[in-house]
């Protein structure tokens, strides 16, 4: 086990006494702006959290922000680490487990991704319906920590059907086009070859990126509900006109960033109402 999620959670709890986030949000490349919308309770550098893995990638700030967003108590991760940084896969378990220990029941992940469909070009948003782990890696390999979940677990409904329904309803209400598709995790750090993209399309993927899947695996193992949205920054290799660069990823992440921010805000507001209703229903049941 790399690092102790309990020590990390204790440290964060001390920085925000009495605050318990219910939703965790991970902000991908160029999407850090949403963090500025959080009414902050505490802002903590990853460097200060015991054993917390830190990113070396530009566009990933490396800060945990606790506060309220859309009225919901949230923990917002501004930046994440990736396998291609040379990080031990097991180390990727710590942030998600820490979020679970802090009280987060829901994990909303965002990322930048390349699209396989011309109709889903740069500036589009894609709700992830399922994924293909093409990395051959998994943060859960090794001794199982029963405190978080069982050795073997299902990934059949990894991307929570109810949360997806909510997100689609919110997008429709906002008249915002929300595509839906399968995300493929490519190890990187290079962008794919056109031949790889043709193969991935045949395998059933709709978009490709270098993150998210490890966090989903750890969250599902721990019984958290997951939703994830890709911010499409480019057409994948061989499908577009321009050469792929990280600068282009960051630049094009801005195209849909404000749509994604609005969608997230309204989603959290509706989620708050739903959770409140569910809570009231369960209190009613308790009285019967
Ligand atoms: N490939 C992999 N990762 C990415 C891409 C891509 O085309 N775009 C943004 N992140």
């Amino acid at each position: 086990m790399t690092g102790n999620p309990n020590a990390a959670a204790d440290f964060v709890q001390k920085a925000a006494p009495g605050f318990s986030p219910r939703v965790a949000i991970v902000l991908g490349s160029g999407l850090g702006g949403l963090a500025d919308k959080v009414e902050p309770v505490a802002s903590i550098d990853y460097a200060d959290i015991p054993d917390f893995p830190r990113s070396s990638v530009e566009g990933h700030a490396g800060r945990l922000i606790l506060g309220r967003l859309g009225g919901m108590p949230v923990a917002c991760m501004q930046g994440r680490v990736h396998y291609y940084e040379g990080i031990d896969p097991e180390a990727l378990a710590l942030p998600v487990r820490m979020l679970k220990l802090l009280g987060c029941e829901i994990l909303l992940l965002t990322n930048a991704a390349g699209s396989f469909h011309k109709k889903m070009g740069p500036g589009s948003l894609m709700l992830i319906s399922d994924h293909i782990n093409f990395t051959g890696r998994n943060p859960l390999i090794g001794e199982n920590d029963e405190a978080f979940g069982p050795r073997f677990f299902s990934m059949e409904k990894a991307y929570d059907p109810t949360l997806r329904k909510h997100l689609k309803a919110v997008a429709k209400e906002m008249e915002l086009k929300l595509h839906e598709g399968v995300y493929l995790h490519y190890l990187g750090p290079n962008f794919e070859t056109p031949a790889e993209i043709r193969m991935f399309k045949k395998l059933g993927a709709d978009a490709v990126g270098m993150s998210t899947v490890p966090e989903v695996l750890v969250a599902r193992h721990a019984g958290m509900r997951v939703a994830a949205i890709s911010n499409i920054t480019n057409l994948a290799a061989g499908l577009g006109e321009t050469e792929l660069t990280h600068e282009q990823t960051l630049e094009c992440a801005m195209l849909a960033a404000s749509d994604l921010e609005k969608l997230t805000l309204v989603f959290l507001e509706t989620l708050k109402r739903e959770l409140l209703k569910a809570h009231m229903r369960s209190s009613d049941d308790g009285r019967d």
Side-chain angles (χ1 to χ4, degrees), residues 17 22 49 59 65 69 73 133 136 177 193 197 211 229 236 242 254 258:
R22 297 195 69 181
I49 307 175
I65 295 141
L69 190 64
N133 181 1
K177 176 79 186 157
T193 64
I197 294 299
S211 68
I229 302 174
T242 47
M254 306 302 286
S258 79

Side-chain angles (χ1 to χ4, degrees), residues 112-115 186 191-192 208-210 233-237 244 249:
S115 164
Y186 182 78
F191 290 107
E192 305 72 27
V208 62
M210 303 178 198
T233 53
N234 56 281
L235 289 173
L244 302 180
T249 301

